[in-house]
């Protein structure tokens, strides 16, 4: 599906390395691998706030027979060296360490979050707020802070992020009164429960969220089931936004009839419409190392979000090579759009996505795209 307004608004060359939280900490050249996967919300002044993930990586990670990774260590950034013969570097985003009875990986970049203020339509950059950047501040974030999702609930901004470390790959919560100045709250979900999206509104007095726990083992559905075993979008509820209880009913599950959503996870925080909660989510079709990421949508019951009122099997958004053509020299993966933010703009939604793990993409999507005749049960 194509849209009249669909463009990149932030690319790696827009980031000032001299103002990075990593600047001056070690004697090695870095560059911006990507500025992508932005959370999105509207500020009190009418402008939009895009919280972009900035992945900063070493220009020459492999040298002297070792592959190097960046790590935060008690207020400073250091480099770790791993023997190259113990590392699998086939995936440009990470390297796997051989040995042991389980998968162990390290990242080729360290991510921090940059608040980017946009015009009300999301198409022009007003300011890059380097002084309000969010970077690691605890050992549980020593490999970076990733993939912000922002919700506004009861007049307060809540932002979930993925915090990466050897201790755990956890979901951490930040809060703000104005959408620009953020306070670190705490860990709210434990190891490898990712893509946490807090609903923009309470249900029966409770906070609700979509979650996506990962694992290496899933039990099979019965033969002939309409569902495919694997990662799914689960639900949780909370009395205060800090302590979360998994909901007993399943959420959005991958369909057995297609491999396009064989792996799935949340995209944008669900927002309330006349029909129910609109949820944009991603499905991943297996292909080579990374896979093909596309954006899909569902409308969930306003009182019980485990009930899918309507959904669309054709994708809403796919990777758009025409947008990244001018960035060809910086491309390192393809076939990826990862939608992470949404804002109401009257007759349309402003949707923010990461394009190719490289840039921030803004798309204006008419609300008519979510009408009953645009979906399938």
């Amino acid at each position: 599906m194509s849209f009249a307004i669909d463009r990149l608004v932030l690319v790696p060359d827009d980031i000032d390395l001299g103002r990075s939280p990593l600047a001056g900490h070690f004697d090695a050249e870095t560059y911006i691998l990507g500025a992508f996967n932005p959370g999105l919300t509207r500020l009190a002044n009418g402008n939009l706030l895009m919280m972009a993930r900035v992945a900063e990586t070493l220009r020459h990670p492999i040298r002297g027979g070792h592959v190097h990774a960046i790590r935060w260590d008690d207020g400073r950034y250091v480099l770790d060296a791993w023997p190259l013969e113990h590392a699998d570097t086939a995936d440009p985003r990470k390297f796997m360490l051989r040995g042991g009875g389980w998968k162990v990986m390290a990242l080729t970049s360290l991510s921090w979050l940059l608040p980017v203020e946009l015009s009300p339509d999301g198409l022009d950059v007003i300011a890059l707020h380097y002084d309000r950047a969010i970077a690691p501040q605890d050992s549980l974030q020593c490999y970076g802070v990733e993939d912000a999702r922002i919700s506004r609930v009861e007049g307060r901004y809540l932002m979930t992020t993925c915090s990466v470390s050897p201790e755990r790959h956890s979901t951490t919560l930040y809060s703000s009164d104005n959408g620009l100045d953020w306070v670190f709250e705490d860990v709210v979900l434990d190891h490898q429960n990712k893509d946490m999206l807090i609903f923009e509104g309470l249900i029966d007095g409770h906070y609700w969220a979509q979650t996506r726990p990962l694992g290496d083992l899933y039990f099979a559905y019965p033969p002939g089931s309409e569902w495919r075993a694997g990662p799914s979008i689960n639900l949780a509820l909370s009395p205060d936004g800090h302590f979360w209880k998994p909901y007993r009913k399943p959420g959005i599950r991958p369909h057995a009839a297609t491999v396009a959503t064989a792996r799935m996870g949340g995209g944008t925080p669900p927002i309330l419409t006349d029909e129910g909660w609109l949820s944009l989510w991603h499905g991943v079709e297996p292909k080579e190392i990374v896979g093909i990421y596309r954006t899909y949508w569902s409308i969930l019951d306003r009182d019980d979000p485990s009930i899918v009122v309507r959904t669309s099997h054709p994708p809403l958004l796919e990777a758009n090579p025409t947008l990244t053509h001018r960035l060809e020299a910086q491309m390192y993966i393809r076939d990826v759009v990862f939608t992470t933010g949404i804002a109401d703009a009257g007759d349309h939604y402003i949707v923010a996505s990461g394009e190719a793990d490289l840039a921030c993409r803004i798309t204006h999507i008419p609300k008519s795209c979510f009408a009953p005749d645009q979906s399938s049960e």
Side-chain angles (χ1 to χ4, degrees):
M1 189 176 295
S2 60
F3 300 98
I5 298 179
D6 189 14
R7 67 182 68 168
L8 302 185
V9 296
L10 189 75
V11 300
D13 291 345
D14 294 329
I15 307 301
D16 183 354
L17 274 173
R19 303 183 71 182
S20 160
L22 280 62
H25 280 260
F26 47 79
D27 186 20
E29 183 184 359
T30 65
Y31 71 99
I32 303 303
L33 184 68
F36 59 110
N37 293 3
L40 189 72
T41 193
R42 195 171 294 281
L43 301 174
N45 63 6
N47 289 343
L48 292 174
L49 187 282
M50 187 172 68
M51 188 67 77
R53 171 184 172 184
V54 179
E56 189 168 345
T57 192
L58 297 169
R59 177 69 67 182
H60 304 291
I62 298 176
R63 62 184 188 276
H66 290 76
V67 57
H68 295 77
I70 306 170
R71 178 173 54 87
W72 180 91
D73 181 25
D74 195 23
R76 63 193 182 99
Y77 294 91
V78 299
L79 301 182
D80 295 326
W82 299 92
L84 197 54
E85 65 267 23
H86 296 159
D88 178 353
T89 59
D91 189 329
R93 305 169 302 171
K94 61 190 178 185
F95 57 91
M96 307 301 295
L97 297 172
R98 302 185 181 95
W102 44 83
K103 294 179 180 178
V104 177
M105 74 174 182
L107 300 176
T108 58
S109 63
L110 186 144
S111 291
W112 47 278
L113 303 179
L114 177 62
V116 180
E117 190 168 350
L118 303 175
S119 57
D121 60 7
L123 301 180
D124 296 302
V125 173
I126 303 298
L128 302 177
H129 295 286
Y130 289 96
D131 58 329
R132 292 177 168 93
I134 293 176
Q137 61 184 53
D138 190 279
S139 61
L140 65 88
Q141 301 173 317
C142 69
Y143 288 142
V145 187
E146 305 175 352
D147 296 354
R149 268 53 171 251
I150 304 174
S151 305
R152 194 172 183 190
V153 188
E154 301 288 281
R156 189 165 64 121
Y157 296 91
L158 300 175
M159 179 172 69
T160 60
T161 64
C162 288
S163 291
V164 188
S165 77
E167 298 172 4
R168 47 161 62 107
H169 190 186
S170 62
T171 297
T172 40
L173 179 68
Y174 292 78
S175 67
S176 175
D177 293 327
N178 60 15
L180 280 172
D181 300 294
W182 295 90
V183 175
F184 176 77
E185 297 283 351
D186 212 335
V187 175
V188 289
L189 292 181
D190 214 331
H191 190 58
Q192 291 193 31
N193 198 336
K194 295 184 60 181
D195 295 329
M196 183 184 190
L197 316 170
I198 297 176
F199 285 57
E200 288 210 322
L202 304 182
I203 303 175
D204 196 23
H206 285 81
Y207 293 84
W208 280 71
Q210 293 176 321
T211 71
R212 201 282 305 276
L214 281 178
D216 288 332
L217 173 67
Y218 297 91
F219 287 96
Y221 282 100
S225 171
E226 63 178 309
W227 310 116
R228 178 187 300 277
S232 60
I233 301 172
N234 293 1
L235 293 162
L237 64 161
S238 169
D240 56 8
H242 284 78
F243 298 94
W244 293 87
K245 175 191 175 300
Y247 193 49
R248 67 183 182 276
K249 297 180 183 178
I252 303 173
R253 292 174 281 176
H255 282 267
T258 177
V259 297
T261 57
R263 173 171 167 158
M264 65 191 325
T268 63
I271 59 175
L272 193 59
T273 71
D274 291 339
E275 292 186 273
W277 298 96
L278 174 63
S279 171
L280 307 189
W281 48 274
H282 67 269
V284 186
E285 179 179 348
K287 180 187 177 185
E288 299 170 347
I289 296 174
V290 177
I292 303 173
Y293 281 70
R294 303 180 179 94
T295 300
Y296 300 84
W297 64 269
S298 299
I299 292 178
L300 313 177
D301 185 84
R302 67 171 55 235
D303 298 315
D304 183 353
S306 70
I307 299 172
V308 178
V309 176
R310 289 191 292 107
T311 196
S312 176
H313 293 302
L316 178 70
L317 285 177
E318 298 186 77
N320 187 346
T322 61
L323 297 180
T324 53
H325 179 73
R326 64 187 174 94
L327 305 173
E328 184 62 33
Q330 296 168 287
M331 296 283 287
Y332 60 100
I333 62 172
R334 301 178 189 276
D335 300 323
V336 171
V337 60
F338 194 80
T339 297
T340 43
I342 189 169
D344 196 320
D347 62 352
H348 65 279
Y349 293 110
I350 300 172
V351 172
S353 307
E355 185 74 5
D357 278 10
L358 185 68
C360 292
R361 172 180 173 180
I362 292 290
T363 311
H364 288 194
I365 300 181
K367 292 183 177 179
S368 59
C369 290
F370 307 105
D373 59 353
Q374 299 298 319
S375 65
S376 56
E377 299 296 337

